[in-house]
Amino acid sequence: MENVKKPIISFRNVVKSYDDDVPVLKKVSFDIEEGKFYTLLGPSGCGKTTILRMIAGFSEPTAGDIYFEGKRINNVPANKRQVNTVFQDYALFPHMNVFENIAFGLKIKKTPKEEIAVKVKEALRLVQLAGYEKRGISEMSGGQRQRVAIARAIVNEPKILLLDEPLSALDHKLRLNMQYELRELQQRLGITFIFVTHDQEEALAMSDEIFVLNNGNIVQSGTPVDIYDEPINHYVADFIGESNIVDGIMIKDNLVKFAGKEFKCVDEGMRPNEPVEVVIRPEDLDLTSIEAGKLKVKVETQLFRGVHYEIVCHDEMENEWIVHSTKKAQVGREIGLDFDPEDIHVMRFNESEAEFDARLESYDD
């Protein structure tokens, strides 16, 4: 019989409230597998940092259970967990040099000096700061400070590295560079990274799996491609990238009606004539002639975004359509929009992933 590997972290019906207030987390359950890059994605106040703090041991759940490698850890203190955290402000000691900052945790553990020297040197090599041991923290750039914070975390050889919006203070170009570096570092180390951000592009670029949070719930989880191509509801579709979202009717399997017309699609499993919302991403719409288009629209505005034109238009039923195209349109003219059945994504109205699955099961019943 094949061995089934236990998740490294599991949440089971975890609730977190403060002072009898509205719960920050509402019966959240999920599993984290070893060796993957996970992202907790959502707006401020959705509960993502609260999850991170409970994994780290800085906060305890009000209800529910947290497991590490199958063992309940609700009351295990932070210093007894095989977890390290990189904070948004890096929390480096300004009076210590790079070596002293990285070595700090090892010294607390009374690690022998020779071993500390070897481990710090290796950690600096991994974050591409070899030779910076004696550099003062105040003499380093934002990106270098972030690398020092990461080195300080990984030198303790944690099984999980938690990253609480560590790129938010960096300028745009450096932020993009650090996305690549963090992803490559996780793959080299082979340990589990759990990354918190409100930046959708960051999450899509870096993650193996994404948990999208809203109002204390995980509303959808999956790979970046799953989340982007098949959003579960209006909130996810609107939050992850730009979307055209219009009301529709699911006539039957593989046939949906919106903007006053019926279109072939690839979605199945819903009841006939069920009200739905339809998503088509701006980059999936092609400009064409009125005769060749599936929709006839009038161009309202056009902006050049560097790699594409952003064109805003309206159809005959006053639905707004945003188009990203390398082709230029003419404001005020009527044109056609074309798209394939695979470009149409049908959603039920704001349901969570669990509610969506339960509804599908009820149809089977």
Side-chain angles (χ1 to χ4, degrees):
M1 186 177 175
E2 187 179 342
N3 279 334
V4 179
K5 199 171 185 180
K6 290 181 180 178
I8 192 166
I9 285 286
S10 296
F11 273 45
R12 292 291 176 263
N13 297 315
V14 171
V15 176
K16 182 62 182 179
S17 301
Y18 294 99
D19 302 324
D20 297 324
D21 205 350
V22 176
V24 179
L25 292 180
K26 304 169 183 175
K27 291 192 174 182
V28 168
S29 297
F30 62 83
D31 291 322
I32 297 286
E33 294 180 21
E34 191 170 4
K36 287 187 176 182
F37 196 121
Y38 288 86
T39 296
L40 306 177
L41 175 66
S44 297
C46 69
K48 56 189 187 294
T49 297
T50 301
I51 289 176
L52 213 68
R53 288 178 56 81
M54 286 197 284
I55 294 172
F58 301 142
S59 181
E60 294 181 9
T62 306
D65 296 302
I66 302 173
Y67 297 90
F68 178 84
E69 295 183 329
K71 296 180 181 178
R72 188 175 180 273
I73 58 167
N74 287 35
N75 302 314
V76 175
N79 65 338
K80 299 292 185 183
R81 301 190 184 194
Q82 292 176 285
V83 173
N84 272 80
T85 306
V86 177
F87 298 98
Q88 188 173 348
D89 61 359
Y90 311 147
L92 299 172
F93 301 114
H95 62 286
M96 296 182 182
N97 64 23
V98 169
F99 182 95
E100 291 165 338
N101 264 279
I102 298 171
F104 184 78
L106 297 174
K107 289 180 179 178
I108 295 294
K109 294 178 181 177
K110 302 189 185 304
T111 306
K113 286 185 178 180
E114 297 80 8
E115 188 178 341
I116 290 176
V118 171
K119 287 190 172 186
V120 171
K121 185 176 181 179
E122 175 61 12
L124 284 169
R125 184 190 68 79
L126 285 168
V127 298
Q128 301 177 24
L129 285 178
Y132 280 72
E133 287 88 344
K134 295 182 180 180
R135 184 74 63 92
I137 295 300
S138 62
E139 300 171 324
M140 307 191 81
S141 68
Q144 289 171 332
R145 291 181 191 185
Q146 190 208 48
R147 290 193 189 101
V148 173
I150 292 169
R152 186 179 61 182
I154 65 176
V155 79
N156 293 298
E157 300 176 355
K159 289 197 173 182
I160 299 174
L161 184 63
L162 308 175
L163 302 109
D164 190 5
E165 303 216 36
L167 307 184
S168 60
L170 305 179
D171 64 59
H172 180 69
K173 189 171 182 180
L174 182 55
R175 189 168 183 159
L176 292 177
N177 289 338
M178 289 307 300
Q179 288 175 16
Y180 287 109
E181 290 191 22
L182 270 180
R183 183 63 176 140
E184 288 174 4
L185 179 63
Q186 187 272 328
Q187 290 173 335
R188 286 200 303 271
L189 293 173
I191 65 176
T192 305
F193 277 32
I194 304 177
F195 185 89
V196 161
T197 186
H198 61 271
D199 188 304
Q200 305 93 321
E201 290 184 9
E202 207 163 75
L204 292 170
M206 300 171 67
S207 314
D208 290 314
E209 292 200 34
I210 299 171
F211 295 151
V212 183
L213 285 96
N214 184 33
N215 196 28
N217 293 300
I218 294 175
V219 290
Q220 187 172 0
S221 62
T223 67
V225 173
D226 291 339
I227 299 290
Y228 188 82
D229 284 348
E230 297 294 340
I232 199 79
N233 59 28
H234 189 117
Y235 170 79
V236 176
D238 196 42
F239 190 73
I240 307 291
E242 289 192 74
S243 300
N244 295 294
I245 305 174
V246 297
D247 291 343
I249 298 290
M250 195 70 189
I251 304 297
K252 60 180 181 178
D253 284 354
N254 309 122
L255 187 66
V256 64
K257 183 177 181 179
F258 61 91
K261 298 181 180 180
E262 294 182 2
F263 301 94
K264 291 180 180 179
C265 64
V266 297
D267 293 272
E268 299 177 341
M270 301 184 193
R271 285 179 174 160
N273 299 313
E274 182 168 349
V276 293
E277 289 184 299
V278 174
V279 181
I280 303 181
R281 296 289 186 182
E283 64 272 19
D284 290 332
L285 292 169
D286 296 322
L287 303 184
T288 187
S289 65
I290 294 174
E291 295 75 25
K294 291 186 173 73
L295 289 175
K296 183 173 79 170
V297 297
K298 184 176 181 180
V299 178
E300 304 291 343
T301 62
Q302 178 173 259
L303 294 174
F304 181 57
R305 295 293 189 187
V307 295
H308 63 257
Y309 291 98
E310 183 173 279
I311 302 157
V312 178
C313 36
H314 286 82
D315 64 28
E316 295 168 302
M317 298 190 71
E318 294 304 314
N319 294 307
E320 181 180 271
W321 297 95
I322 300 171
V323 183
H324 291 170
S325 176
T326 55
K327 296 178 182 178
K328 196 173 182 179
Q330 187 174 332
V331 174
R333 290 195 64 179
E334 289 188 335
I335 59 172
L337 296 181
D338 195 24
F339 46 88
D340 295 326
E342 294 80 10
D343 299 326
I344 299 171
H345 309 294
V346 177
M347 311 178 300
R348 291 193 175 84
F349 291 99
N350 270 333
E351 289 179 308
S352 69
E353 198 165 11
E355 290 167 338
F356 178 85
D357 290 340
R359 189 187 288 254
L360 286 184
E361 288 176 10
S362 74
Y363 291 175
D364 291 341
D365 293 341

